[in-house]
Amino acid sequence: MKKDLYEKLVDLYAGQELTAELNSELEEAALSDPELAAEMESMSLLVSTLKEIPAPIYSADSEARILRKIEQQAALEQRKEIPSYLQYPLPMQG
Amino acid sequence: MSKGPRDDSQAERRFLKALAEGDSSALGGLYQIYGEKIFRYTYRMLGNRSDAEDATAETFLRVLRRSHELKADGAFRTWLFRIARNLCIDRMRQHSLLELPSDIHYTGTEEKSALRVTVLQALNELPMEYREPLILCDLEDNSAKEAAEALAISVPALKSRLYRGRKALREKLGGSLEKMK
């Protein structure tokens, strides 16, 4: 019964979401349960590796490109909103 | 001195109010608060800079288009992430193949860097319902509550997906993790 609970707690342990009390209890249980210890180690390694994946670089160039896209598209949409009767009529052909 | 979350939330309310009243320049203020966060999230989801820039720009354009409906009620962040998420999902349906980011700089030992690349590759192969919680919580360090709100699910459901996602990722990685022990 306790083992089932520990298995569920491993995920929270790896995500460092357990209370200090439960953390110690789980670590103590792992001392006499090699399977649980291995589970805790591999899950912790996985979560820490995920957290260490570097964030994408948000460069000044990226920011400038994004802001330009917003400005250009917003200006385009604003122009479209002008009612047709206010737009300059095209010269008749022929 | 850097600004704290409290400063940001006061500024957010001010910008939202101004935008709702027709001052479109307030969008720039909201961009300063959330632009980088949205870019990083969309980059993690889409895997390349160009698509992430497009999705970030479109996210803020949608804010501008619906500016008259905006309310400074604290739900803006969640709404913004949901817009970004939907745009990413649409884009991913268009290009079914997800590329590995080529301009992320890995530091540390060669083995560690190789493991991170392997983990990222395996993460990209996970079903969306597992991938998203891992991106939001483990990579982008959002709280369970913030991630659950962005995904429009309950916190227990988020935690369950996170648990299953980590297990699925570990299974996918097979021996790669064991070698690092």
Side-chain angles (χ1 to χ4, degrees):
Chain A
M1 186 65 194
K2 197 100 183 178
K3 193 168 172 148
D4 287 349
L5 173 70
Y6 287 156
E7 275 174 16
K8 282 177 190 155
L9 291 181
V10 168
D11 185 56
L12 297 172
Y13 172 83
Q16 297 179 338
E17 293 172 70
L18 285 182
T19 60
E21 199 183 333
L22 275 174
N23 214 59
S24 314
E25 191 183 326
L26 199 64
E27 280 173 352
E28 208 169 302
L31 293 175
S32 56
D33 185 343
E35 211 178 305
L36 177 65
E39 180 82 358
M40 283 161 66
E41 195 184 352
S42 85
M43 204 52 118
S44 296
L45 180 60
L46 176 69
V47 174
S48 67
T49 305
L50 280 170
K51 287 187 188 290
E52 282 167 11
I53 291 174
I57 296 167
Y58 179 64
S59 62
D61 283 350
S62 268
E63 185 179 60
R65 277 193 295 268
I66 293 167
L67 290 173
R68 205 164 42 241
K69 277 178 209 215
I70 296 173
E71 275 172 30
Q72 285 173 349
Q73 187 61 30
L76 204 69
E77 288 175 19
Q78 223 166 18
R79 232 174 289 153
K80 274 187 196 159
E81 278 171 18
I82 299 172
S84 57
Y85 61 85
L86 289 177
Q87 288 174 17
Y88 187 79
L90 287 172
M92 298 284 282
Q93 290 196 350
Chain B
M1 205 168 76
S2 67
K3 286 187 297 172
R6 194 187 157 87
D7 294 328
D8 274 354
S9 111
Q10 282 173 350
E12 177 188 312
R13 274 199 292 273
R14 213 174 46 244
F15 293 133
L16 284 173
K17 191 168 176 284
L19 203 54
E21 287 167 359
D23 176 8
S24 57
S25 69
L27 187 73
L30 290 171
Y31 187 88
Q32 286 309 310
I33 300 173
Y34 290 112
E36 184 175 352
K37 291 185 184 88
I38 294 294
F39 170 78
R40 280 170 46 167
Y41 170 66
T42 54
Y43 195 117
R44 302 270 205 203
M45 289 284 282
L46 298 166
N48 75 79
R49 183 166 296 273
S50 168
D51 280 347
E53 287 174 4
D54 284 349
T56 305
E58 185 56 29
T59 301
F60 284 89
L61 278 162
R62 292 201 180 179
V63 172
L64 192 61
R65 287 181 202 127
R66 298 183 64 178
S67 53
H68 56 283
E69 298 169 31
L70 293 175
K71 286 184 192 129
D73 59 3
F76 177 70
R77 185 186 189 283
T78 303
W79 182 62
L80 194 65
F81 270 88
R82 280 193 200 158
I83 296 174
R85 177 180 179 244
N86 290 338
L87 287 167
C88 288
I89 291 171
D90 287 349
R91 211 164 266 259
M92 284 157 75
R93 283 193 190 119
Q94 288 162 15
H95 328 261
S96 56
L97 191 69
L98 195 71
E99 292 164 23
L100 264 191
S102 55
D103 56 356
I104 285 187
H105 300 288
Y106 297 91
T107 54
T109 64
E110 214 168 289
E111 288 95 347
K112 264 269 176 196
S113 303
L115 179 65
R116 287 186 206 139
V117 173
T118 310
V119 169
L120 196 53
Q121 202 156 22
L123 177 69
N124 286 346
E125 289 167 8
L126 284 184
M128 184 59 80
E129 66 163 326
Y130 295 156
R131 223 177 116 228
E132 284 186 301
L134 290 168
I135 289 176
L136 286 166
C137 297
D138 289 343
L139 274 74
E140 284 301 313
D141 220 18
N142 285 287
S143 68
K145 185 173 177 281
E146 287 170 335
E149 283 174 355
L151 299 176
I153 57 177
S154 67
V155 172
L158 181 274
K159 288 200 169 177
S160 160
R161 280 195 202 178
L162 199 55
Y163 171 67
R164 284 183 282 148
R166 285 171 181 162
K167 283 208 137 187
L169 185 59
R170 196 176 55 173
E171 264 169 45
K172 242 182 199 306
L173 285 165
S176 306
L177 270 180
E178 306 305 313
K179 279 187 214 150
M180 283 300 293
K181 282 187 189 172

